[in-house]
Amino acid sequence: MGGCAQQALRRRWQVEVPVTATGTDWRSWQESWDRQQEWYMPDREERFRVMLDMVEAVVGPEPRVLDLACGTGSITDRLLKRFPRATSTGVDLDPALLAIARGTFEGDERVTFVTADLKDAAWTQRLPHPSYDAVLTATALHWLHSEPLAGLYGQIGGLVRDGGVFMNADHMIDTGTPRINAAERAHRHAAMDRARAGGAVDWAEWWAVAAKDPVLAAPTAERFEIYGEHADGDMPSVHWHARTLREAGFGEARAVWASPSDSMVLALK
């Protein structure tokens, strides 16, 4: 690859977050998080598109949504761009990602953010609404082990209204296909290595930049006190998720999207 092309790639991935005259440029932080996540999941936007397609198909274009383990508000961002009359409640425990989310959506009356620990049995009491048309989550619940995740699914079953929908897009591993899994992983990591050579920023590097930012340094330190370097959860199969959601009170559940490495399960109340 020529020098000009390499420089262009590096500019695309570089974490550059300017400070505006009125304070931190939260939109730039939001976009830098998206780029970092896309290094791991190049089909991330396709997942979001299908997720919102199914929201519209099941509950219509004006849903009340719970953005579960919302992070910077990536789902909420795409939800409101596509459905301007939607509303969203984002819930997370991460103080740094919530700072970006709150900064990005400051002044938007359609959005509320709640700080809560999904491992706390009382987390639902912090929500502003007793029920939702749709509960959506992506690349977050694999941090939980299967037993607490099954318990969380039971709580979600109580939050989704009759006729409403829950969707989880995440890493879901079928342990019955080890050779396919190994081939997919090798191919995916080779592509990641090529992107890294072009300047892609990984999870650790993104957090290192956040830790040096005057505004995000304190909440970043706090988030590492809460989580440590990384949580080791489970990544059960699509079949486990569908079965467990039906046991949690959903009438139907199955995969509605899949890539070679990830899947999205939809459960209908």
Side-chain angles (χ1 to χ4, degrees), residues 22-24 26-27 30 98-113:
T22 56
T24 298
W26 294 114
R27 175 55 62 179
Q30 182 81 240
L98 279 174
I100 295 171
R102 289 185 168 114
T104 300
F105 296 97
E106 185 177 7
D108 192 330
E109 295 181 353
R110 299 170 296 176
V111 185
T112 303
F113 288 104

Side-chain angles (χ1 to χ4, degrees), residues 37-200:
Q37 290 287 285
E38 287 165 2
W39 180 60
Y40 297 95
M41 297 167 289
D43 49 16
R44 185 168 177 257
E45 290 302 324
E46 175 69 6
R47 295 196 309 172
F48 288 140
R49 183 191 66 78
V50 174
M51 178 179 281
L52 296 182
D53 281 351
M54 295 310 299
V55 167
E56 185 174 23
V58 177
V59 298
E62 301 180 20
R64 175 192 289 171
V65 169
L66 177 61
D67 186 351
L68 190 70
C70 65
T72 65
S74 297
I75 291 175
T76 293
D77 189 32
R78 288 150 182 82
L79 172 79
L80 297 180
K81 286 175 179 174
R82 177 159 169 177
F83 306 126
R85 295 175 68 88
T87 59
S88 178
T89 301
V91 60
D92 208 302
L93 185 61
D94 190 311
L97 298 186
L98 279 174
I100 295 171
R102 289 185 168 114
T104 300
F105 296 97
E106 185 177 7
D108 192 330
E109 295 181 353
R110 299 170 296 176
V111 185
T112 303
F113 288 104
V114 174
T115 300
D117 185 351
L118 297 182
K119 294 181 180 179
D120 179 354
W123 72 271
T124 59
Q125 297 176 18
R126 294 176 174 264
L127 301 177
H129 305 292
S131 67
Y132 290 84
D133 300 313
V135 177
L136 309 176
T137 188
T139 326
L141 300 188
H142 65 275
W143 284 45
L144 296 176
H145 289 286
S146 297
E147 184 175 349
L149 179 55
L152 179 63
Y153 277 175
Q155 291 180 297
I156 293 169
L159 287 172
V160 176
R161 68 162 173 83
D162 287 346
V165 65
F166 167 70
M167 276 181 275
N168 178 15
D170 211 339
H171 313 312
M172 299 180 187
I173 305 300
D174 187 340
T175 57
T177 58
R179 290 185 297 162
I180 296 173
N181 297 348
E184 181 282 322
R185 187 179 187 279
H187 184 268
R188 173 165 43 90
H189 279 263
M192 291 170 67
D193 289 344
R194 291 192 296 271
R196 185 66 177 272

